[in-house]
Amino acid sequence: MLEELRIQNLGVIADATLPLDPGLTCITGETGAGKTMVVAGLGLLFGGRASRAPLGADRALVEGRFAVAEAALELRERAIEAGADLEDGELLLARSVSSEGRSKAWVGGRSAPVGVLAELGELAISVHGQSDQMRLLQPAEQRAALDRFAGADHGKVLDAYRAVFHELGACAAELSRLRTSAREMAREADLLRLGLDEITAVDPQDGEESELAEEALRLENAEALRLAAATAHGAISGDPATGEGGATDTVGAAARALEHDAHSDPKLAEFAERLAEAGALLAEAAVDLSSYLDDLTADPRRLEEIYQRQAALKTLYRKYAEDLPGVLAWAENASKRLGELDVSDERVAELESQHAELTARAADLATQLRASRRAAAARFSESVSTELKGLAMPHAEVVAAVEPRPAGRGSVDLAVETAVSGATEDGADEVELLLRPHPGSLPAALHKGASGGELSRVMLAIEVVFAEIGGPPVLVFDEVDAGVGGGAAIEIGRCLAKLARRHQVLVVTHLPQVAAFADRHLVVSKDTSGAVTVSGVRVVDDAARARELARMLAGMPDSHLGVAHAEELLAEAAKMKS
């Protein structure tokens, strides 16, 4: 439960602390005193949209102290995930909004995203105002309300249906894409195949280009290379035809000359050894040059083959990439893309079969949904109508009508039961809440058949029904008793008191008949003595409470007759609550 709420610089409330108790808390005050700022503060505290702080203040601040029950496991786990310490069972929340519109949030004294406050709010509190009544007039909200009432098993069927429906939509989109773009994809596939065939025919090899260039250079300069190698070989080995010696002979003679007297001087021995090594190297070079000359041949045919190969590679570079690695990468990507462009009849047939199967499954689940909704609608109608009898509408009846959606009015048509219905992700049904004010009258849509006061009571009856099946522990009502008076107002107060047996209920009201049922009565009062009107909040009981009810009854808090009437109203409310 919410134990305490503090509001600073919000609307006309400069600084007010609201001590809250279990049961029913009513908040009253004169028009313009700032009663609705309490609801606005709760909205901010639990992640509502922020607005600029009024009064020229630097910021507006809302703080709340929440007692988290042991049974509220989901709420406790989410708060602990956000870093809150719940050892004492208390959860401290805060939200500030600067005058520039910037917002900050705290959970358990630690900074947190505002979205965390919103998540906690969904688990902890439910706020209802006149805008919620307007939402309830929308068919989508009425269907959602019925689905929530239907329970967990119904929710599982709805989740299963939505999963199949989305899968069906994806399959239909893919099938449509294949059918409508088959020509373009076939053209792209043909171009890719032509390119792959051309690259395959050339069959380029990694590193081939440099090898071809080296071989071509060698063949192009074969005669010059032969002359250079032969000259070098002759210079090393000599010319056998003329008997002229080469470098090998010269070095050998030098080495032998030194070896003759090497024993006389170690340095000469060292020079002789070095000359011998040089002679060996020259002899080895002569052998290699000879082998090179044997392998070096002028081959015009091979040179032409290399030129043709290089031309084929350049053609690939011109069409597909600037170098060989790029060509190979293009071929790899083209192969993958061809797999994506499978427009074969087999693929289309496969998708058509899948589409038919998903359609059948979606239709079956939509049929189950409709049956479940109709069963829930009967229970919902009975429960709400029963509550209305206790809200001074003894002959009224709320009917939750579940009808097939006409074909063509959804994103897909499904054969549900014995007819074709238009289906969306929420099913193939249209749900509408109808009100029959009295026997013999025809049921009419809420926005047509209900007055403002009747709509307020229908909304309250629905909330009572929802409260009996669970929901957040704190319920807040902002003038949901608008348009109601007299005996109906007393019945609304009694109903709220009944609701407060299971939930903490906060009600902003202008009706003394409702405020009389409060377990705690808070009054928002304004002070206009200064240049700026500000408001505060105080708890009233006993005589002060009777005076506040007298003000609400007749605008005369000091009237003895009015106070007597208020005391009588309080006594009667106490009897009805017991």
Side-chain angles (χ1 to χ4, degrees):
M1 61 164 278
L2 187 60
E3 295 182 328
E4 185 177 87
L5 180 69
R6 184 183 182 188
I7 301 173
Q8 290 182 302
N9 301 322
L10 188 63
V12 294
I13 298 180
D15 192 346
T17 300
L18 284 70
L20 302 172
D21 282 344
L24 175 61
T25 298
C26 286
I27 302 170
T28 64
E30 295 182 0
T31 301
K35 299 187 297 296
T36 57
M37 286 299 102
V38 175
V39 178
L42 285 171
L44 281 178
L45 184 61
F46 289 100
R49 186 175 180 180
S51 59
R52 291 180 178 273
L55 299 179
D58 292 336
R59 65 172 184 166
L61 177 66
V62 184
E63 299 172 300
R65 182 159 50 86
F66 206 96
V68 182
E70 291 290 338
L73 295 179
E74 191 174 358
L75 177 60
R76 294 178 67 87
E77 290 176 358
R78 186 65 189 93
I80 292 173
E81 285 178 8
D85 182 4
L86 295 179
E87 290 185 1
D88 56 358
E90 286 191 348
L91 175 62
L92 300 178
L93 305 176
R95 172 89 178 275
S96 70
V97 182
S98 71
S99 56
E100 292 81 19
R102 291 191 295 271
S103 177
K104 293 183 180 179
W106 293 268
V107 175
R110 296 188 177 185
S111 179
V114 175
V116 175
L117 291 182
E119 293 176 14
L120 294 172
E122 291 180 359
L123 300 171
I125 192 168
S126 179
V127 180
H128 304 276
Q130 296 184 27
S131 60
D132 296 278
Q133 295 180 9
M134 296 302 103
R135 279 205 307 272
L136 193 62
L137 300 181
Q138 301 173 9
E141 291 292 332
Q142 295 176 0
R143 182 180 57 249
L146 181 60
D147 285 340
R148 184 156 61 98
F149 174 82
D153 291 340
H154 174 86
K156 292 178 181 177
V157 176
L158 181 57
D159 290 341
Y161 166 81
R162 283 173 173 165
V164 173
F165 182 84
H166 292 152
E167 193 175 351
L168 175 61
C171 179
E174 176 65 10
L175 189 56
S176 175
R177 184 184 69 83
L178 285 181
R179 287 171 174 168
T180 56
S181 60
R183 182 177 301 171
E184 289 77 8
M185 289 194 297
R187 184 181 298 113
E188 182 182 355
D190 287 343
L191 291 174
L192 290 175
R193 289 192 188 96
L194 287 173
L196 285 172
D197 290 344
E198 186 175 5
I199 294 173
T200 302
V202 175
D203 190 22
Q205 301 299 315
D206 192 20
E208 177 184 11
E209 188 176 17
S210 60
E211 294 177 1
L212 289 173
E214 290 176 4
E215 187 178 359
L217 182 62
R218 189 165 58 250
L219 290 173
E220 289 170 347
N221 297 277
E223 290 304 321
L225 294 173
R226 177 181 296 277
L227 177 60
T231 301
H233 185 270
I236 294 173
S237 302
D239 187 356
T242 63
E244 183 180 353
T248 305
D249 296 331
T250 303
V251 172
R256 288 190 297 272
L258 293 176
E259 287 173 355
H260 183 269
D261 296 312
H263 62 279
S264 301
D265 191 342
K267 287 188 177 181
L268 287 181
E270 181 183 347
F271 293 150
E273 183 180 353
R274 288 167 61 184
L275 287 170
E277 291 175 358
L281 290 174
L282 287 170
E284 184 179 347
V287 172
D288 290 341
L289 283 170
S290 179
S291 176
Y292 176 80
L293 287 168
D294 291 340
D295 294 337
L296 185 62
T297 58
D299 189 349
R301 180 177 300 176
R302 174 56 184 161
L303 185 58
E304 182 61 28
E305 290 176 356
I306 292 175
Y307 288 158
Q308 291 177 357
R309 183 67 177 172
Q310 289 177 325
L313 291 175
K314 288 179 180 179
T315 299
L316 297 182
Y317 301 160
R318 186 173 65 253
K319 290 184 177 181
Y320 306 107
E322 63 182 8
D323 53 22
L324 186 55
V327 171
L328 296 175
W330 185 94
E332 182 180 357
N333 294 332
S335 297
K336 293 179 181 178
R337 178 59 178 160
L338 271 178
E340 298 171 357
L341 293 172
D342 183 4
V343 293
S344 64
D345 293 339
E346 291 79 4
R347 177 58 177 160
V348 172
E350 179 186 348
L351 284 174
E352 288 176 341
S353 175
Q354 182 182 359
H355 186 270
E357 178 186 352
L358 290 171
T359 299
R361 287 171 57 192
D364 179 63
L365 288 169
T367 301
Q368 296 180 43
L369 263 184
R370 182 172 296 173
S372 179
R373 276 178 176 147
R374 284 177 171 168
R379 302 194 308 271
F380 182 80
S381 300
E382 181 180 359
S383 298
V384 176
S385 298
T386 299
E387 292 298 331
L388 284 178
K389 289 178 173 59
L391 290 172
M393 295 178 68
H395 305 297
E397 180 183 3
V398 168
V399 178
V402 180
E403 299 295 337
R405 182 181 292 109
R409 290 182 55 180
S411 53
V412 65
D413 286 342
L414 297 176
V416 182
E417 294 179 332
T418 58
V420 176
S421 299
T424 67
E425 68 171 0
D426 295 310
D429 310 318
E430 290 187 342
V431 177
E432 186 173 24
L433 296 183
L434 309 174
L435 176 65
R436 181 186 286 118
H438 51 80
S441 61
L442 294 175
L446 286 181
H447 68 282
K448 295 180 180 178
S451 64
E454 289 173 337
L455 186 59
S456 296
R457 282 176 279 175
V458 169
M459 178 66 183
L460 181 57
I462 291 174
E463 192 57 46
V464 171
V465 168
F466 279 133
E468 291 177 352
I469 62 173
V474 181
L475 303 177
V476 181
F477 296 92
D478 182 15
E479 297 190 5
V480 293
D481 50 15
V484 179
I490 292 177
E491 294 302 327
I492 286 180
R494 182 194 61 77
C495 184
L496 289 169
K498 174 185 174 183
L499 191 60
R501 294 173 186 172
R502 296 187 179 182
H503 298 261
Q504 182 184 26
V505 180
L506 280 65
V507 180
V508 176
T509 182
H510 66 282
L511 294 179
Q513 297 95 324
V514 173
F517 284 86
D519 299 306
R520 167 159 286 195
H521 191 157
L522 303 178
V523 177
V524 181
S525 57
K526 58 183 178 180
D527 180 7
T528 58
S529 58
V532 178
T533 299
V534 294
S535 293
V537 180
R538 57 190 173 90
V539 180
V540 294
D541 51 21
D542 300 332
R545 186 178 181 193
R547 292 181 70 250
E548 171 63 10
L549 291 184
R551 181 198 65 76
M552 298 172 70
L553 283 165
M556 295 182 292
D558 298 322
S559 167
H560 295 295
L561 186 60
V563 170
H565 187 187
E567 290 174 345
E568 182 182 4
L569 186 59
L570 287 168
E572 186 63 26
K575 290 180 183 179
M576 296 179 71
K577 287 169 60 178
S578 62

